[in-house]
Amino acid sequence: MEIEDLIIDDRRRGIFRVHRSSMTSVDLFRREQGQIFDRCWIYLGHESEVEHPGDYLRRTIAGRPLFLVRGKDDQVRVFLISCTHRGALICRRDAGNADVLQCFYHAWSFNTNGKLIGVPGEDAYGPYFDKSELGLKQPPRVESYRGFYFVSFNPYVDDLVTYLAGAKDYLDLIVDQAEEGMRVIRGSNKYTMKANWKLLVENSLDGYHLVPTHQTYLDYISSLGTDDSGQTAASRIVGTAKALGNGHCVIESPVRNGRPIAHWHPLFGEEAREPIARVRQRLVEKYGEERTHRMADTSRNLIIYPNLVINDIMAITIRYFEPVAPDHMEVTAWHLVPREESESMLATRLDSFLTFLGPGGFATPDDVEALESCQAGFRATETEWSDISRGMLSPAKSTDELQMRGFWRQWHANMQGLSHTDVQDGPVTETEAVPALATDD
């Protein structure tokens, strides 16, 4: 099947379908690496994870080993980990602090600015051997927004703020909740799924599955004293869905189960009621009631295309997933919190995070089972298409699928060598597709 035929997007009839080979084909998976992960901005880490000079963290991004490090000059830099001598990995740990990073193979040493500063037996090299030519290599583009660092292997990619499009406003809503800035809690949750990475994109934006898939969690919350008792898919108050441009999408819903940021719930205990009220009052004084309502009383699941999800629900989770094969991904999740939060409120937030979003929580095992079940179902190749048409001809709700269509339209454009597309529902416009930026190859 030709790439242009992988998606049926009939906006007049309200039909949107995705061919399931997009989830199973090795050839398409390889094409994704070149057309998407080598060309877009990809999330690397948060500035708070390298807070002090010498702090570094190691990540695998778009299949490449990278590390983020803060130098003695307080500048944050990103380097490919591969030693410029024979290629061995420089960083042997996921995180740490060091003045010098030494390759264990032949002991070539680099400082936190990436310069080669030590070569054992350097006198064995000829007169034209120049250490200044052999420093650690950097990705073509590195930029940050509000503490979130991204890399791109495409030197011609739009600047990060332009790329973020409407997602930028939602990052602002998250970061502005804190008085002294946000920080990532040390440690992470890591797990794998035997499923295609795009299934997790869909799932992270899918309000439709909440009641049938996570009923156990809703029953648990109801037992603690909330008005969710007896909720059904038909009666539950739903939120809205938006496509934000460039494949970024979001769902927003009213907060019902409490959030440590300015929305109390019985599960937090009476001692948390007053501190939460003080947080809310501070937000109102600084931002006004309308913006505070969006911050405190509205939850959001945000996808930053292609593979970063930020869940700002009962806790704030940064979730990054690295595609490994058409049917395999590696997932890492971190917890983002306000710097000024008290120990007791932080404990409440962490408990909320692990209860729902942790690998052993109420939600994540359900979701893993659902996505792996989908991937297993794709082996029934005679059923060729997945339907993502819900809500296509009506105003989008969080239980509809506009947000997934926004992602898929961007994916489809990228896979055809286009950089932008009209990700909204509605009539196709003349600006639906714009050719990708030229490269030098």
Side-chain angles (χ1 to χ4, degrees):
M1 175 176 286
E2 298 297 325
I3 290 174
E4 57 265 29
D5 298 326
L6 290 171
I7 287 180
I8 297 170
D9 189 0
D10 188 336
R11 304 191 189 196
R12 183 181 61 83
R13 296 171 57 227
I15 300 296
F16 192 98
R17 289 175 184 152
V18 177
H19 198 267
R20 291 179 176 177
S21 63
S22 62
M23 304 287 197
T24 61
S25 166
V26 173
D27 290 340
L28 289 175
F29 178 80
R30 290 171 179 162
R31 188 176 180 86
E32 285 176 341
Q33 307 311 302
Q35 296 296 101
I36 297 175
F37 292 94
D38 286 354
R39 293 179 178 270
C40 294
W41 286 102
I42 309 294
Y43 177 70
L44 175 60
H46 192 266
E47 64 180 6
S48 63
E49 297 178 271
V50 288
E51 196 159 21
H52 306 291
D55 284 353
Y56 68 87
L57 60 87
R58 179 177 70 172
R59 301 271 155 85
T60 298
I61 304 297
R64 299 164 173 86
L66 298 173
F67 73 98
L68 186 74
V69 62
R70 188 178 293 273
K72 290 183 177 180
D73 58 1
D74 206 37
Q75 295 297 306
V76 176
R77 297 177 177 85
V78 179
F79 298 102
L80 295 156
I81 294 177
S82 180
C83 180
T84 51
H85 178 219
R86 300 274 286 279
L89 298 177
I90 300 296
C91 295
R92 304 289 289 173
R93 297 191 300 162
D94 287 339
N97 182 282
D99 293 329
V100 175
L101 297 162
Q102 186 178 84
C103 177
F104 81 102
Y105 194 10
H106 297 94
W108 280 32
S109 301
F110 304 83
N111 66 16
T112 54
N113 291 347
K115 294 181 179 179
L116 177 61
I117 58 173
V119 176
E122 186 176 344
D123 56 355
Y125 291 90
Y128 297 104
F129 179 78
D130 186 353
K131 291 200 298 289
S132 68
E133 297 176 349
L134 294 167
L136 295 175
K137 304 304 179 184
Q138 296 181 287
R141 298 284 295 276
V142 177
E143 292 184 24
S144 67
Y145 182 74
R146 302 300 301 269
F148 296 87
Y149 272 84
F150 292 76
V151 300
S152 180
F153 303 99
N154 174 14
Y156 306 100
V157 69
D158 287 340
D159 65 88
L160 180 59
V161 169
T162 299
Y163 177 82
L164 288 173
K168 179 178 73 69
D169 297 335
Y170 286 88
L171 286 177
D172 291 339
L173 282 176
I174 293 167
V175 175
D176 287 343
Q177 295 173 26
E179 189 171 13
E180 299 176 11
M182 289 286 185
R183 66 185 177 101
V184 170
I185 294 292
R186 186 177 297 275
S188 62
N189 296 326
K190 294 186 176 182
Y191 51 98
T192 63
M193 287 194 212
K194 296 177 182 178
N196 188 274
W197 66 277
K198 299 184 291 297
L199 286 172
L200 185 52
V201 173
E202 292 183 349
N203 174 263
S204 299
L205 295 166
D206 183 6
Y208 191 29
H209 82 286
L210 174 63
V211 173
T213 306
H214 301 311
Q215 187 63 53
T216 302
Y217 175 74
L218 297 177
D219 291 344
Y220 164 71
I221 291 297
S222 297
S223 73
L224 299 175
T226 184
D227 58 358
D228 277 357
S229 181
Q231 278 287 318
T232 66
S235 64
R236 189 173 182 84
I237 299 173
V238 299
T240 60
K242 297 177 184 177
L244 303 172
N246 293 338
H248 318 308
C249 302
V250 69
I251 57 173
E252 297 179 276
S253 302
V255 171
R256 301 182 62 87
N257 301 330
R259 300 173 67 213
I261 188 76
H263 198 283
W264 183 82
H265 184 275
L267 73 88
F268 299 156
E270 280 297 324
E271 66 277 6
R273 188 189 290 271
E274 185 178 345
I276 288 176
R278 288 199 300 267
V279 170
R280 184 185 180 86
Q281 182 58 35
R282 174 182 63 79
L283 292 175
V284 170
E285 291 171 357
K286 188 171 184 179
Y287 298 109
E289 181 60 44
E290 182 179 352
R291 185 169 175 81
T292 297
H293 175 73
R294 292 191 68 195
M295 289 180 178
D297 305 330
T298 305
S299 64
R300 68 208 104 251
N301 288 22
L302 173 68
I303 172 72
I304 296 181
Y305 183 91
N307 60 334
L308 171 66
V309 170
I310 301 181
N311 295 309
D312 183 11
I313 40 181
M314 73 290 295
I316 307 174
T317 305
I318 301 171
R319 180 186 283 166
Y320 172 87
F321 30 102
E322 177 78 6
V324 178
D327 59 353
H328 186 198
M329 69 179 116
E330 297 176 347
V331 185
T332 308
W334 301 269
H335 192 33
L336 189 71
V337 305
R339 287 182 178 275
E340 70 274 9
E341 197 156 60
S342 67
E343 288 297 321
S344 61
M345 289 305 299
L346 177 59
T348 297
R349 185 187 290 270
L350 286 169
D351 183 68
S352 295
F353 166 61
L354 291 172
T355 297
F356 188 66
L357 295 165
F362 280 100
T364 299
D366 290 343
D367 290 334
V368 171
E369 172 64 21
L371 302 193
E372 291 187 345
S373 178
C374 290
Q375 194 71 40
F378 295 157
R379 293 199 293 267
T381 54
E382 290 76 13
T383 304
E384 296 185 64
W385 299 90
S386 291
D387 187 271
I388 311 180
S389 304
R390 183 176 171 85
M392 196 167 176
L393 297 180
S394 58
K397 301 188 291 289
S398 59
T399 52
D400 291 332
E401 294 166 344
L402 162 73
Q403 59 277 23
M404 299 169 201
R405 293 189 291 272
F407 168 85
W408 276 109
R409 285 172 179 141
Q410 184 67 33
W411 176 89
H412 198 210
N414 288 162
M415 292 291 280
Q416 295 176 81
L418 306 171
S419 61
H420 302 291
T421 190
D422 181 358
V423 297
Q424 305 293 339
D425 284 345
V428 179
T429 68
E430 292 181 1
T431 60
E432 179 189 9
V434 179
L437 293 173
T439 65
D440 58 354
D441 47 50

